[in-house]
Amino acid sequence: MTIAATARDQRTEVEGVSVSTLHYIDGRRVGSADTFEVRSPIDWEGWKLADVAAGGREEVDAAVHAARRAFPGWSALAPEGRREVLARFADAIEAAVPDLAKVEIADNGSLYEAMRLRVLPRAASNVRFFADYAVERLAEAPRTLHGGERNTVRYDPAGIVAVSTPWNAPLMLATWRVGPALAAGNTVVLKPPEWAPLTASMLADIADQAGLPPGVLNVVQGTGAAAGAPLTGHPLVDRVAFTGSPATARTVYTDAAKELTPVSFELGGKSPFVVFADADLDAAAATAAYQYDNSGQVCLAGTRLLVEEAAHDAFLERFKAKVSEIKVGDPRRPDTTYGPLIHPIAKERVTGHVRRAVEQGAHLAFGGESLGGLYWAPTLFTDVPDEADILQREVFGPVLTLQTFADESEAVALANSTDYGLAATIFTGDEERAGRVAAAVVAGTVWVNCFYVRDLETAFGGARQSGIGREGGRWSFDFYCDVKTVCERTALYDGGGS
């Protein structure tokens, strides 16, 4: 499905797909006096994608007020009525996946095949799943107490939701928040990432074509300082959902705290990847090599390989063999394993982490160098001193570390030795050990003998510096709704009681 132009719109063409460069507010395209440049990480110097409207306080305020005007009508729809509209929205996203994939990979450098076959279809699933859940699973049967009082739990929409999304999977992660927020009856103002804003603009056109009423979904582009801060601190915003770094989250938290606005944060990770000697080492090594996916720009990646001493040599041999098969290059090619880093600033960050790791005494086992442009070789550090930054700070690049442990207790201690707690991966052939270690590690999600799979109905979020709150299934509605208990003395309806 190719997105059609809107009257008085300004559009750019990316890989044959027309994309608006303006904001989407109250069902209309809206410009700004300022713009910011978007370039493709695939060829940073040679491929300019667009000059995109740069919003600020004025555009944010217009979008929030549009959402406020749209809220009574949208929230008054029964969940079944919202599901009907959102089903069309999900179908339209699904139909647009080929176009969305072309734009997403140009915008952020992800693999085309991964976007087309796995990631972007999930965007449609996010909308459809939560719309269905609101109808089929959310209502609770009333409970009657011994005195005859009937207790009913209601999930009332909270109001206006501010959603701020990251650049590593901008469309899918936008729908992860937009889907349940809309299904719950809220209206939304979405602030896409300035490094990869284009598919969020396409999402606005898709929503319009699917029949979402004006103001129900608004998109304001811009930087975090100019557009993000006025949005997350806006007095009419009722919920703030943010995905990004802990450093930025502290600023967002401060802005939201001024209005006591509830927040849901999914932040960074420095996740452990624990391999016991009794594991299937072939499967463990192949999955460990997959942690380089998307040039390491995945918050859930198990970047700290923790390997039992007895399995070190056998695992490392298998791991190196798998890494040797990695092909770094143009993400549009079907044989590419991963593409570029997102931005020159990201490359500078990775370069700095690698340089400091060497300076602090870590052994560079392989990689550690630029391959030209924004492309970076898969990198592994071993013999890393305990105090080295590379063990504690999120690199967000294709850089892993490998440490060994003697026994289960040391494995758990190493796994829990950072300020993060987003995810953990465990490979073992012992089911009882898997249960013990999964219970002991600090993480919002633990994978055992698998990776990167999750039921949308289960809870997702991070501990420590990796986030605040949980989303998924009912947990999403706990956040995007005002959960209310109504207690009725039913005997009075029949003229009884006192």
Side-chain angles (χ1 to χ4, degrees):
M1 175 178 129
T2 300
I3 309 303
T6 304
R8 296 193 300 276
D9 201 353
Q10 295 177 20
R11 305 182 78 85
T12 189
E13 188 168 291
V14 179
E15 297 286 78
V17 180
S18 177
V19 185
S20 176
T21 59
L22 303 184
H23 313 292
Y24 181 77
I25 299 173
D26 205 15
R28 299 180 296 110
R29 288 293 177 178
V30 176
S32 292
D34 298 324
T35 62
F36 61 94
E37 185 179 78
V38 178
R39 305 189 74 87
S40 175
I42 297 173
D43 178 9
W44 184 265
E45 296 298 330
W47 194 2
K48 178 179 173 179
L49 296 175
D51 288 312
V52 175
R57 190 172 300 276
E58 181 179 349
E59 290 84 0
V60 166
D61 196 56
V64 170
H65 278 90
R68 179 61 64 186
R69 289 191 298 272
F71 176 69
W74 181 249
S75 63
L77 282 177
E80 291 82 0
R82 292 194 292 268
R83 178 167 70 172
E84 182 178 341
V85 178
L86 294 176
R88 294 198 302 269
F89 188 24
D91 290 345
I93 294 172
E94 205 163 55
V97 160
D99 280 357
L100 290 164
K102 291 176 184 177
V103 175
E104 187 101 309
I105 64 111
D107 212 7
N108 82 340
S110 297
L111 291 182
Y112 175 72
E113 289 300 308
M115 290 295 107
R116 184 177 66 86
L117 298 176
R118 292 187 291 106
V119 180
L120 294 178
R122 161 74 186 275
S125 297
N126 285 339
V127 174
R128 187 175 291 113
F129 169 84
F130 287 108
D132 289 343
Y133 195 100
V135 173
E136 299 167 3
R137 302 289 302 280
L138 199 57
E140 295 184 3
R143 303 175 186 178
T144 302
L145 303 181
H146 293 301
E149 295 86 2
R150 181 173 63 203
N151 284 251
T152 305
V153 175
R154 293 178 51 89
Y155 284 80
D156 295 339
I160 313 306
V161 178
V163 176
S164 183
T165 57
W167 45 259
N168 57 334
L171 185 78
M172 188 276 286
L173 290 175
T175 59
W176 170 241
R177 261 62 188 271
V178 169
L182 294 180
N186 303 292
T187 52
V188 172
V189 180
L190 169 63
K191 209 280 298 177
E194 58 264 35
W195 285 356
L198 298 182
T199 50
S201 180
M202 295 173 70
L203 186 68
D205 280 344
I206 294 169
D208 186 72
Q209 293 172 10
L212 262 72
V216 170
L217 174 63
N218 306 272
V219 178
V220 178
Q221 301 152 159
T223 65
L231 176 60
T232 55
H234 199 288
L236 294 182
V237 164
D238 299 287
R239 296 289 188 274
V240 171
F242 170 81
T243 303
S245 70
T248 305
R250 290 183 178 92
T251 300
V252 173
Y253 209 0
T254 300
D255 293 337
K258 294 173 183 176
E259 301 295 333
L260 295 180
T261 306
V263 301
S264 176
F265 288 165
E266 194 259 287
L267 308 177
K270 194 70 179 174
S271 300
F273 188 104
V274 186
V275 181
F276 288 94
D278 61 2
D280 180 337
L281 295 184
D282 290 322
T287 309
Y290 185 65
Q291 307 308 299
Y292 291 116
D293 181 50
N294 203 30
S295 199
Q297 299 170 130
V298 179
C299 55
L300 294 164
T303 56
R304 294 185 297 127
L305 307 181
L306 309 178
V307 182
E308 191 169 4
E309 290 170 355
H312 173 270
D313 292 349
F315 171 82
L316 188 56
E317 179 183 4
R318 289 166 170 79
F319 177 65
K320 286 182 176 178
K322 286 296 182 182
V323 173
S324 70
E325 300 171 3
I326 290 176
K327 294 183 179 180
V328 183
D330 191 325
R332 295 168 294 186
R333 292 178 56 88
D335 61 342
T336 297
T337 306
Y338 69 77
L341 296 164
I342 180 71
H343 193 279
I345 292 175
K347 183 179 179 181
E348 290 174 12
R349 185 182 301 127
V350 172
T351 302
H353 277 291
V354 169
R355 184 187 66 251
R356 286 191 298 276
V358 172
E359 291 171 350
Q360 293 171 357
H363 172 66
L364 180 60
F366 56 75
E369 62 184 358
S370 170
L371 299 177
L374 297 180
Y375 298 85
W376 193 272
T379 298
L380 177 70
F381 282 102
T382 60
D383 303 317
V384 185
D386 291 342
E387 66 276 8
D389 289 345
I390 198 72
L391 294 179
Q392 296 295 324
R393 303 276 70 85
E394 185 177 39
V395 178
F396 229 56
V399 180
L400 307 183
T401 60
L402 190 152
Q403 300 167 273
T404 59
F405 60 86
D407 54 29
E408 185 178 311
S409 62
E410 186 179 10
V412 170
L414 288 172
N416 291 340
S417 63
T418 75
D419 294 333
Y420 294 99
L422 187 57
T425 302
I426 303 165
F427 271 81
T428 179
D430 185 331
E431 188 172 356
E432 291 185 359
R433 169 184 281 154
R436 289 194 303 270
V437 177
V441 296
V442 178
T445 299
V446 180
W447 286 288
V448 179
N449 297 328
C450 60
F451 177 68
Y452 220 30
V453 290
R454 187 178 64 83
D455 185 340
L456 292 180
E457 193 167 335
T458 59
F460 179 78
R464 295 177 173 170
Q465 298 293 306
S466 289
I468 295 174
R470 293 292 182 270
E471 295 190 43
R474 185 175 296 274
W475 287 271
S476 287
F477 291 96
D478 286 344
F479 176 69
Y480 293 110
C481 291
D482 286 325
V483 184
K484 177 191 299 179
T485 297
V486 178
C487 183
E488 303 168 274
R489 178 160 290 173
T490 57
L492 293 179
Y493 296 148
D494 299 322
S498 59

